[in-house]
Amino acid sequence: MTQVVLAGVLGVLFTIGTYLVLRRDVVRVVWGISIISQSANVYLVTMGGFEHLAPILSGHGGGAETTDPLVQALVLTAIVIGFGTTALALVLTYRVYEEHGTIDMYELGGSR
């Protein structure tokens, strides 16, 4: 049941991200890309599986099955890189606004 709920949430997140990417405002495009990348991270964690709950082996010899920590490490790295990329894109958007006075893509491109 948990995977069905996560699949629905992922669908909603990808839909919201796609909707925002298709807008004319540059800031909304940046946020849309950020939402899509975070939903891809949730997808990776979901595909990592939930059947084994212990992330590391117990020192007491409990015999619990372990999950693969590689998925969590990759997602953590992707979150940090995504945060830096989003911050850079927002700073560049601010510079575009300072130079041109607008962040509307049609006005920046010169066509309507």
Side-chain angles (χ1 to χ4, degrees), residues 10-74:
L10 284 171
V12 169
L13 284 174
F14 274 111
T15 303
I16 291 171
T18 304
Y19 174 77
L20 289 174
V21 165
L22 296 175
R23 299 292 94 198
R24 292 172 52 173
D25 188 9
V26 177
V27 175
R28 289 185 181 158
V29 171
V30 170
W31 285 116
I33 291 171
S34 178
I35 289 173
I36 289 174
S37 69
Q38 293 305 318
S39 58
N41 291 337
V42 173
Y43 173 73
L44 287 174
V45 170
T46 304
M47 292 299 109
F50 294 111
E51 59 271 349
H52 308 298
L53 298 177
I56 58 173
L57 285 174
S58 174
H60 303 294
E65 296 278 339
T66 60
T67 60
D68 187 14
L70 181 64
V71 176
Q72 288 93 358
L74 290 175

Side-chain angles (χ1 to χ4, degrees), residues 1 4-5 10 19 28 44 65 84 87 89 93 99 102:
M1 183 65 185
V4 173
V5 172
L10 284 171
Y19 174 77
R28 289 185 181 158
L44 287 174
E65 296 278 339
T93 302
E99 292 290 323
T102 184

